[in-house]
Amino acid sequence: MNWNFTTTNVNVRLPINEQDGNALFALLQQQHAVDHIPRIALTDAVQVEDELRRMTMQFETREGASWLVTGTYDDQLFARITVKKINWMMRAAQLQWELAPDCDNELMTRLMSEAMNEVLPFLMAELGLHRLEMRLRKGSDKHTELLKKLCFTYEGCLPSQLEFDGEDIALDVYSILTSDLKS
Amino acid sequence: MKFTPEIPFAGGRVKPLLAQDIDGLFALYQQPELPGQAPLVDPEQLSRLVDISVKMAATQRGMMWAIEIDQPDSAPKILGMVSGFDWHASQLRITLRVDALPELSITQRQAALTVCMNFLETKYHVRNFAYPWIVGQNAEIKTMLTDLGYQSCAILRDAWRIGENAFADVHQFHYLSNTDKPIARRLGDDDQLGQVVNNQQGGAS
């Protein structure tokens, strides 16, 4: 099973421990890249080693998988896409992504459309998942616009899902089903 | 140590799952309310359920109660269960579900759910109660939830699998308590794990 994909403008590939640490740290140390989850940005390069180890272990145990979205020509890291909380019985999983905040919105939409056009059919056809959802902090407009462009449907808002920075955080839920993808 | 209490309500009580209740629980599992769930075949599985219910409560991962209803001419009968699962103790939230035989009225179901919620709110400071209603279940349950103060927050499309390639929507209800969050105290002051107490009571729960 091939987990790596190449499109016109991006490579969507599993991370490589020895080479991706610096680029991943550059992405995940930016608070704007993780505000929508929400999570605290990384502060030390050592934390990326833990992040890479977790990604490897999650993949090996079939708990989840993470892809790095990089430019085809310059290998610049634009995003990380993660599938997690896979429920094989319900054939459902959660998606999460971190997008490079300094990338132009229009460019990011194009690149992520290319990347997700590979990842989503793979998750549904090859892994047999039926429902993919993303939960993100209410008000994450840049991300919700992208989700809508990718044909995700808004399902509602779950209140008080976690505490972050002294606030009770409500999470919006967006999903895409196999039937959405076919249509 | 007993983590799951017996709590009375009008006409019955909720009580921890016990080995002697397996026959009653087996009858309950013969008519599953959950869409797509097949009747249980092996009663032995319920012995494991009883064990798991104790472990889940002890580690604050979940809590299960049997709903026992008084009968006019015979011994009380188990007509349902209240299950608390997906418990995020530090985030003060839990998901609840009631599974019951058709004989359990909506009023009794509501009473059982209410006493369990009150217990979790008082003892463990749970403030966010979720309840998934699955398309195909009794629609009166939705009305009951609304009457209890729950709000429909999301419709999760095809989030419940009912067959090889068949799915049902899940209506996600939430009830948010307006009680204050517990006050953090110095760790180790209270030897009853997870049972956060009022500071002013000097450690009494």
Side-chain angles (χ1 to χ4, degrees):
Chain A
M1 191 181 288
N2 180 20
W3 290 73
N4 297 320
F5 319 102
T6 300
T7 70
T8 311
N9 294 302
V10 291
N11 286 319
V12 185
R13 58 173 178 79
L14 299 175
I16 302 166
N17 282 357
E18 297 76 23
Q19 76 174 44
D20 289 324
N22 289 340
L24 194 58
F25 180 57
L27 172 65
L28 300 182
Q29 71 173 337
Q30 301 183 72
Q31 188 59 48
H32 287 320
V34 292
D35 269 340
H36 64 291
I37 294 173
R39 200 177 58 208
I40 297 171
L42 302 190
T43 54
D44 194 308
V46 175
Q47 291 172 289
V48 163
E49 290 174 26
D50 295 333
E51 198 71 28
L52 285 162
R53 176 180 46 77
R54 276 194 290 272
M55 284 194 276
T56 304
M57 292 182 74
Q58 283 168 355
F59 185 75
E60 286 174 350
T61 56
R62 299 294 183 264
E63 270 182 34
S66 294
W67 290 271
L68 302 185
V69 181
T70 60
T72 306
Y73 304 109
D74 57 5
D75 212 30
Q76 181 188 346
L77 181 62
F78 289 105
R80 176 174 71 163
I81 301 169
T82 303
V83 58
K84 58 178 190 169
K85 295 191 178 176
I86 301 174
N87 186 331
W88 297 108
M89 207 163 74
M90 292 295 159
R91 292 173 51 193
Q94 285 187 11
L95 283 171
Q96 183 180 292
W97 63 37
E98 294 96 357
L99 312 176
D102 48 356
C103 181
D104 172 70
N105 273 359
E106 199 177 315
L107 176 63
M108 182 59 82
T109 301
R110 200 168 70 235
L111 298 179
M112 284 302 285
S113 297
E114 283 188 27
M116 294 298 277
N117 282 341
E118 298 294 331
V119 170
L120 293 176
F122 173 80
L123 292 173
M124 290 174 171
E126 297 293 330
L127 300 190
L129 297 175
H130 174 71
R131 172 192 161 85
L132 294 163
E133 69 171 34
M134 188 178 284
R135 297 185 177 196
L136 68 174
R137 186 178 193 160
K138 192 173 178 59
S140 307
D141 297 343
K142 174 180 156 187
H143 299 273
T144 55
E145 279 170 28
L146 181 53
L147 284 166
K148 285 173 191 166
K149 283 177 182 159
L150 292 168
C151 298
F152 278 69
T153 300
Y154 176 70
E155 296 185 326
C157 183
L158 306 178
S160 289
Q161 293 301 288
L162 68 155
E163 291 171 316
F164 185 78
D165 209 13
E167 274 184 63
D168 282 332
I169 304 296
L171 295 178
D172 282 338
V173 185
Y174 285 80
S175 78
I176 189 164
L177 309 177
T178 45
S179 49
D180 299 330
L181 208 60
K182 283 173 191 164
S183 62
Chain B
M1 191 177 283
K2 199 171 175 180
F3 292 93
T4 310
E6 179 172 319
I7 316 171
F9 58 85
R13 65 206 58 77
V14 293
K15 59 177 220 173
L17 306 190
L18 301 170
Q20 62 260 34
D21 296 327
I22 283 179
D23 288 344
L25 294 171
F26 188 67
L28 173 65
Y29 274 81
Q30 293 310 294
Q31 297 183 61
E33 267 195 350
L34 282 178
Q37 190 178 46
L40 195 68
V41 176
D42 181 9
E44 183 55 30
Q45 288 175 296
L46 291 169
S47 301
R48 291 207 296 277
L49 184 74
V50 171
D51 288 344
I52 288 168
S53 74
V54 175
K55 288 174 186 165
M56 284 175 74
T59 54
Q60 288 189 56
R61 283 177 292 155
M63 199 164 277
M64 295 183 207
W65 284 273
I67 304 172
E68 192 177 68
I69 300 296
D70 295 331
Q71 304 295 313
D73 304 319
S74 59
K77 192 177 168 190
I78 289 176
L79 294 183
M81 271 179 69
V82 180
S83 305
F85 55 97
D86 198 22
W87 187 357
H88 297 257
S90 62
Q91 301 288 354
L92 311 177
R93 65 184 167 94
I94 197 169
T95 302
L96 293 173
R97 196 179 74 220
V98 178
D99 297 286
L101 292 168
E103 297 102 287
L104 188 79
S105 70
I106 285 288
T107 309
Q108 290 164 331
R109 184 189 290 256
Q110 180 169 338
L113 184 61
T114 302
V115 293
C116 294
M117 285 171 62
N118 289 345
F119 169 75
L120 290 165
E121 187 177 345
T122 309
K123 186 76 174 175
Y124 293 102
H125 299 275
V126 177
R127 303 174 81 245
N128 185 354
F129 297 89
Y131 195 109
W133 180 86
I134 303 163
V135 170
Q137 291 189 299
N138 183 353
E140 288 180 25
I141 295 171
K142 287 200 291 183
T143 310
M144 174 199 82
L145 292 170
T146 309
D147 291 346
L148 280 173
Y150 279 79
Q151 289 189 324
S152 176
C153 295
I155 298 177
L156 309 178
R157 301 175 305 147
D158 283 7
W160 187 259
R161 190 173 171 199
I162 54 175
E164 185 57 31
N165 285 305
F167 300 85
D169 292 349
V170 174
H171 293 224
Q172 189 75 6
F173 286 82
H174 280 269
Y175 171 84
L176 297 183
S177 159
N178 57 9
T179 55
D180 290 338
K181 290 182 183 178
I183 302 161
R185 296 182 305 109
R186 196 171 62 188
L187 290 174
D189 278 0
D190 180 12
D191 61 357
Q192 291 187 314
L193 286 178
Q195 295 174 20
V196 185
V197 296
N198 186 329
N199 233 355
Q200 294 170 345
Q201 290 179 345
S205 54

